[in-house]
Amino acid sequence: MKDISASPPAEAPRGNAGAGPARPRRLLVRGSPRRSAPRAAALLPGLALALAVAAAATAVGRLLPVVGGPVAGIALGVLVAVAARPGERTRPGVDFAGRRVLQAAVVLLGARLSLGQVLRAGADSLPVTLVTLTVCLVAAQWIGRRLGVLGDLRTLIGVGTGVCGASAIAAVTPVVGAAGAEVAYAVSTIFVFNIAAVLVFPLLGHLLDMDPHAFGTFAGTAVNDMSSVVAVARAYGGDATDQAVVVKLARTLMIVPICLGLAALARRRAGRAEAEGSTGAGPEVEADAGSGVGRPAPVRITRLVPWFLLGFLALAAAHTAGLLPAAAHGPLGALAGFLITLALSAIGLSTDPARLRRTGPAPLLLGGCLWLVVTATGLAVQFLTGHL
């Protein structure tokens, strides 16, 4: 071991946290006004690029509602990343949009949920929702492992298929810390089978002679993104659309327990890894800057429950209690949709195409298997409960 007592005396002040020369540098790192302005300015190039891609994706989504803005954002972002290869100047803003803007979008998703209305209207579909979701998540892990799909990616595909597509992937991404390439692959996989549902499900409903209410329950359970749910239900006709939308919103509520469970699991894994790598100070030790002595780190509520999930619940509760003006519901929902498009555009811009190629076709195969599992399970539960 190196004898630190043999170090030249002139070097000692450099490592002494209490010495005079080190103090100005530490104050600068802690966030003096001199650093805040350059950091904000550094976000502008990447945010401007992500906004431009999101605006184009929104236009594509309006022209092709089945595709939708979020999927178009991912696709256009990847195309720009491959063709233009944005430099390091854009990275801070792109990373900010892919993380912080995504979290803000999840909060705003709560504005479109009236908890009481959804629970009352969706009560008869609750068994179908819970069973299909449980089967989907279990199948995602079991099939994903056998196909060699990595943990975060199979979680994203499972949650996206079982809950509500791109919105669920957006909510789960900050919780599990998934990479941009994994998010891009998961959203793209969900999109492929949304298109398949639009083409196949109305034919299947007529083949099984389903009434509009039953088909609405089936569509709301087995189709992912809201735009695709509406497209499938409208293609069937009758009152299927209203029922499908209510069931879909009831499924959206499942984001809450899933995110809580994943956050607890991530926290436990991080604590275990930190404890295993600890040299004796313990997993929850924080250095005191003034004394250099270790002290327990404070327990933060956002480490147990992500702040954006609390915001989601607060906004949904405000909607339920009538605290949000009715005129604000539409604009807030539209803003949430655009922010998701912006965030996924940024994730597309930060995607490594080479990593996508190395991932191979296994995630797409997993998405196909889960789509079939959810479809078969939904129909089976409806049949067993007398709704088919």
Side-chain angles (χ1 to χ4, degrees):
M1 183 175 70
K2 183 178 177 181
D3 184 3
I4 59 173
S5 65
S7 302
E11 294 293 321
R14 294 186 184 180
N16 190 342
R23 188 172 300 276
R25 295 173 64 187
R26 286 181 56 197
L27 290 175
L28 187 64
V29 169
R30 286 187 178 184
S32 68
R34 293 174 57 191
R35 282 188 60 97
S36 59
R39 187 176 178 222
L43 298 178
L44 293 179
L47 278 176
L49 178 60
L51 278 168
V53 174
T58 300
V60 171
R62 287 175 180 168
L63 290 173
L64 302 171
V66 174
V67 175
V71 173
I74 279 276
L76 291 177
V78 172
L79 287 176
V80 171
V82 172
R85 295 188 179 180
E88 289 297 317
R89 272 186 79 234
T90 64
R91 183 175 297 278
V94 166
D95 290 346
F96 178 85
R99 185 182 177 193
R100 297 301 183 187
V101 172
L102 185 60
Q103 293 171 344
V106 173
V107 173
L108 290 179
L109 286 174
R112 69 182 185 182
L113 286 175
S114 173
L115 304 182
Q117 178 186 7
V118 169
L119 290 176
R120 284 193 303 271
D124 63 338
S125 67
L126 194 60
V128 184
T129 299
L130 292 178
V131 172
T132 53
L133 176 59
T134 302
V135 171
C136 180
L137 294 178
V138 172
Q141 298 303 315
W142 189 80
I143 299 173
R145 284 194 183 96
R146 278 146 186 80
L147 292 175
V149 179
L150 296 180
D152 284 348
L153 182 51
R154 65 175 179 256
T155 296
L156 293 178
I157 294 174
V159 170
T161 303
V163 185
C164 54
S167 297
I169 292 171
V172 167
T173 293
V175 176
V176 301
E182 293 167 333
V183 176
Y185 211 137
V187 172
S188 301
T189 298
I190 298 302
F191 166 69
V192 168
F193 296 102
N194 278 340
I195 297 299
V198 172
L199 298 175
V200 172
F201 282 3
L203 298 175
L204 181 61
H206 287 299
L207 181 66
L208 297 175
D209 196 24
M210 300 173 73
D211 62 61
H213 186 275
F215 185 83
T217 300
F218 169 60
T221 302
V223 187
N224 304 311
D225 285 312
M226 180 63 82
S227 58
S228 299
V229 169
V230 172
V232 169
R234 281 182 180 168
Y236 198 75
D239 298 325
T241 302
D242 292 341
Q243 176 67 9
V245 168
V246 169
V247 174
K248 172 67 173 58
L249 289 176
R251 280 175 68 199
T252 302
L253 291 176
M254 296 299 105
I255 288 176
V256 177
I258 287 173
C259 283
L260 289 174
L262 289 174
L265 184 60
R267 175 67 177 156
R268 187 176 69 178
R269 287 176 176 171
R272 186 187 306 138
E274 197 171 355
E276 290 174 354
S278 173
T279 57
E284 290 292 330
V285 172
E286 182 176 70
D288 185 282
S291 64
V293 178
R295 59 183 175 83
V299 177
R300 297 181 178 88
I301 187 65
T302 53
R303 288 189 172 183
L304 303 176
V305 182
W307 72 267
F308 52 89
L309 189 58
L310 293 174
F312 173 93
L313 289 172
L315 209 54
H319 184 171
T320 303
L323 300 179
L324 287 180
H329 297 168
L332 286 176
L335 178 59
F338 179 75
L339 291 182
I340 288 178
T341 300
L342 173 60
L344 293 183
S345 298
I347 288 171
L349 287 168
S350 63
T351 299
D352 179 7
R355 182 172 180 177
L356 282 178
R357 288 193 297 270
R358 289 194 300 270
T359 303
L364 188 62
L365 182 57
L366 172 61
C369 291
L370 295 183
W371 183 66
L372 293 174
V373 165
V374 168
T375 300
T377 303
L379 290 173
V381 175
Q382 282 188 257
F383 176 77
L384 293 173
T385 55
H387 289 85
L388 185 60

